[in-house]
Amino acid sequence: MRENRSLKILLVEDNDDHAHLIMGIIEATAADHTIFRVSNGEEALTYLDSATDSETQWPDVVMLDMKMPFLNGIETLAEIRGRKQQSDVPVVIVSTSDSANEIQSAFQCGANGYVVKPLQYDDLKIKIRDFIHYWSEVSETPGFRVQ
């Protein structure tokens, strides 16, 4: 098994309580992960636009909430996939919804995964830790590339 690498994570979450829970769980893992948090899809697109020229700011993975104001998760994902410079960044939908239609829509729009946020904190902690394990130890990511 390879060594646990530090991740740069863009967390797109409009609910402050959910964001603080997720960030706290991530920060409690062994590696030194960097979390960039924005509150909606428009802010995510602005962040990615500004990070396109910055290796230190470019995320290894985006955790994207489904239900947000302005642009929802599917609309934001479609925008990301439609932009040449951003189209290959891994995006995982993280939502309280387990709707089969929403899950199917997410994958049809190019999601790299879909995580249902459980209601119980201990269950959420397990899912987020497994998410971090997968993206830091198991999966390779495209990473930053000069545009």
Side-chain angles (χ1 to χ4, degrees):
M1 186 183 330
R2 80 170 200 213
E3 186 177 324
N4 187 3
R5 76 171 186 265
S6 294
L7 293 173
K8 292 176 288 217
I9 302 163
L10 176 59
L11 174 62
V12 187
E13 173 63 69
D14 65 311
N15 183 304
D16 287 337
D17 292 334
H18 289 186
H20 291 305
L21 285 173
I22 291 169
M23 292 186 320
I25 294 166
I26 293 170
E27 290 166 356
T29 62
D32 184 25
H33 303 298
T34 303
I35 306 164
F36 308 103
R37 191 246 172 149
V38 296
S39 299
N40 61 58
E42 288 180 351
E43 289 178 5
L45 296 172
T46 300
Y47 178 90
L48 290 171
D49 286 341
S50 68
T52 300
D53 297 323
S54 172
E55 183 173 3
T56 60
Q57 302 297 309
W58 189 253
D60 295 303
V61 63
V62 176
M63 299 177 77
L64 180 62
D65 188 25
M66 178 66 84
K67 297 180 187 322
M68 299 180 294
F70 308 113
L71 293 175
N72 67 32
I74 296 296
E75 294 165 335
T76 304
L77 177 59
E79 280 288 324
I80 292 170
R81 292 297 181 240
R83 296 175 176 202
K84 182 180 176 189
Q85 301 90 345
Q86 301 166 6
S87 63
D88 62 354
V89 65
V91 178
V92 177
I93 300 291
V94 181
S95 177
T96 55
S97 173
D98 62 357
S99 160
N101 289 337
E102 286 187 8
I103 294 169
Q104 183 177 15
S105 293
F107 281 103
Q108 286 174 339
C109 284
N112 297 93
Y114 192 105
V115 176
V116 177
K117 291 186 269 189
L119 298 176
Q120 300 300 316
Y121 175 76
D122 288 339
D123 295 334
L124 177 64
K125 187 163 52 171
I126 290 167
K127 282 202 175 189
I128 298 301
R129 284 184 177 167
D130 287 349
F131 173 93
I132 294 300
H133 170 78
Y134 177 77
W135 288 102
S136 66
E137 295 185 39
V138 177
S139 182
E140 299 297 330
T141 61
F144 178 78
R145 61 178 187 200
V146 178
Q147 303 299 326

